Amino acid sequence: MSLAFDANRWWPAPLLPRGDGRDWALLFVVAALSFLAGLAAVGALAGERAAAGWRSELIGSATIIVRAQGTDTADEEAARAAEVVSGTKGVAEARALDAAKADALIAPWIGANALPPDLPTPRLVAVDLDRKAPATGAELKRALSAAGIDADVDDHSRWTAQIMRAGAAIESTGAGLFLLILAVLGAVVAFATRQGLAARRDVVEALHLSGATDGYIARLFQARFARSAAQAGLAGAVLAVLAAVLLKLMSTGDDQFTALLPIAWRDLAAPAPFPILAALVAAVTARMTAMAVLAERP
Amino acid sequence: MRYGREAEVLKDISFELPRGSFHFLTGPSGSGKSTLLKLIYLSEQASRGRIEIFGQDLAALKRADRPLMRRRIGVVFQEFRLLEHLSVFDNAALAPRIAGRKPGAYRADVADLLAWVGLGDRMHAMPQALSGGEKQRLAIARAVINRPDILLADEPTGNVDEAMALRILRLFTELNRVGATVLIASHDTDLVIRSGMPVLNLDAGRLAQAPPFNPELAL
């Protein structure tokens, strides 16, 4: 190997020493934060989708509980109720559930074949509402009362409100987690920048005395930490995507899991912006920290 | 000048270095030589008094303007302060690089200067591989690459033998001939006397009588 030095081919080497032990610790922390942020984003999207699905199911339907009255049997009363609400504005379809189906619904609580056949159990009418302009529970109740039918209407509004609250909670928790992770990333980079400035005091001193401005020196740290954060963020995001794929594959065939966390393939893109965000946060934090530390020097 | 609540390191000092002059700064250890140099190269701020460089009062100098002034001052440190992760060439090229010049615009200057200080065949070496004398010459090259108006040196011959000390002194004299104002802090009384240059003698933080000039010992 020739040691000949050709000044004409010389190109400046990086002014900050290439990585040391502390940088590895920073890379690990940023990768872990990116992994958590990626999973939080995928989880928030899937959770929001689950809540939206449940909300859609509940908003689009209502249940009418019909009690037998006068000379009509419960089945006849239910059929009449279905007919009445079918003609109500905001209702797409209404169908009376037969006795077997009604019994099947209460079987989990009282057991199958536990009811005497002559016990007058209420009948149910399943109502599919017009999704664009659904009838309210009060409107259905009014229509039934006008037809002289004694029935209770459950438009699921109690559950809908709870599910909407749950959906909002999932969204805000996901966003909060994401912001918290970015804040932690900023704090870690600020700490690392202070450490870096202290550890490379000789470099900073030499640069200052050679006429470097605070901004010039801060830019070196800014670029170093932005690059590190982008690389570590990318590694963490890739791991988060792999973990999400694994969760999705594990949930295949498990209806309960899928209902709780319906991960879609497109959700896997959610961790993608994190490496860029991490680089931005690292750059801004490193610059601000370096400028503040350098301002303390003469 | 004082550090915190310590006793004053420098007091009641008043002098002027004319443009293009060459002075030695002498005095025993602890007399304040390094502190005086630090004040001139803007590494410390005077706790009282007034320092003017290039006609500008340093106390009134904005922080943003300090780097521009530093670019007009070259400093050679006793302990060299070379950047160990950079090659000889990169160390010497530091000042023009920081000043924002394109590499193509100063590559040849750096190569010529390193050849001039006798490091033409060590441009690729890392500082750890250099001898004390080579490090000293690299530190000098780094300090003068931007042709500073003021050249300061703190014990530049403290780590080298007599022959190298004389060589370095000739280097400073040559730089002074091309226009630099030179101030060298040195313990080396023999070298100071042989140079024949005027002396600022510090003693316990005050300027004292300068040693007599001996023309027979002049370079």
Side-chain angles (χ1 to χ4, degrees), chain B residues 35-156:
Chain B
T35 301
L36 183 57
L37 292 184
K38 282 180 182 175
L39 288 171
I40 299 173
Y41 65 72
L42 287 78
S43 182
E44 296 286 354
Q45 283 181 301
S47 44
R48 66 186 176 94
R50 180 183 174 90
I51 302 173
E52 271 191 27
I53 298 179
F54 309 128
Q56 283 189 280
D57 179 2
L58 294 191
L61 191 65
K62 289 181 191 161
R63 184 170 180 82
D65 293 331
R66 296 172 79 83
L68 299 178
M69 184 170 281
R70 283 193 183 112
R71 289 176 195 176
R72 299 177 67 185
I73 303 171
V75 190
V76 182
F77 300 97
Q78 183 178 10
E79 68 280 21
F80 317 125
R81 298 200 195 175
L82 301 172
L83 296 181
E84 299 290 323
H85 63 286
L86 295 182
S87 69
V88 165
F89 201 95
D90 276 298
N91 265 287
L94 198 57
R97 180 177 177 178
I98 287 172
R101 291 171 64 193
K102 296 233 180 320
Y106 59 83
R107 271 196 286 238
D109 290 346
V110 175
D112 287 348
L113 179 60
L114 286 173
W116 188 63
V117 298
L119 292 173
D121 57 346
R122 307 301 311 271
M123 293 188 201
H124 64 283
M126 300 304 281
Q128 302 91 310
L130 301 182
S131 68
E134 287 173 326
K135 285 181 181 177
Q136 192 66 276
R137 282 179 278 151
L138 174 55
I140 293 168
R142 189 180 67 178
V144 304
I145 181 67
N146 264 1
R147 297 181 187 278
D149 294 312
I150 296 177
L151 178 60
L152 306 173
D154 193 0
E155 304 288 358

Side-chain angles (χ1 to χ4, degrees), chain A residues 177-190:
Chain A
L177 265 178
F178 204 75
L179 290 176
L180 180 65
I181 287 170
L182 287 181
V184 171
L185 172 70
V188 168
V189 170

Side-chain angles (χ1 to χ4, degrees), chain A residues 94-121:
Chain A
R95 59 194 179 284
L97 301 181
D98 58 31
K101 283 189 177 171
D103 290 346
L105 285 173
I106 55 175
W109 286 272
I110 59 173
N113 304 318
L115 293 174
D118 55 343
L119 185 71
T121 52

Side-chain angles (χ1 to χ4, degrees), chain A residues 92-273:
Chain A
E93 188 189 356
R95 59 194 179 284
L97 301 181
D98 58 31
K101 283 189 177 171
D103 290 346
L105 285 173
I106 55 175
W109 286 272
I110 59 173
N113 304 318
L115 293 174
D118 55 343
L119 185 71
T121 52
R123 290 291 176 267
L124 301 175
V125 176
V127 182
D128 291 335
L129 300 172
D130 180 349
R131 290 187 183 258
K132 288 179 184 167
T136 65
E139 287 167 346
L140 295 178
K141 177 77 176 169
R142 268 201 301 279
L144 290 166
S145 297
I149 300 170
D150 178 23
D152 290 327
V153 178
D154 179 3
D155 63 357
H156 308 152
S157 55
R158 185 158 54 100
W159 307 108
T160 309
Q162 285 184 355
I163 284 175
M164 286 179 77
R165 276 201 299 276
I170 289 170
E171 269 184 68
S172 51
T173 304
L177 265 178
F178 204 75
L179 290 176
L180 180 65
I181 287 170
L182 287 181
V184 171
L185 172 70
V188 168
V189 170
F191 180 75
T193 305
R194 282 189 176 275
Q195 291 292 309
L197 281 163
R200 290 152 192 166
R201 193 186 171 88
D202 56 334
V203 178
V204 173
E205 178 97 7
L207 296 177
H208 252 154
L209 293 177
S210 298
T213 60
D214 291 349
Y216 184 95
I217 298 171
R219 267 198 300 281
L220 297 177
F221 284 88
Q222 174 186 335
R224 165 65 58 91
F225 285 113
R227 194 168 53 247
S228 294
Q231 288 168 346
L234 184 61
V238 168
L239 287 175
V241 170
L242 291 176
V245 168
L246 201 62
L247 281 174
K248 181 164 177 57
L249 294 177
M250 280 167 60
S251 71
T252 305
D254 183 340
D255 290 344
Q256 285 185 338
F257 192 102
T258 306
L260 281 171
L261 210 62
I263 299 172
W265 287 113
R266 65 172 176 275
D267 294 347
L268 302 181

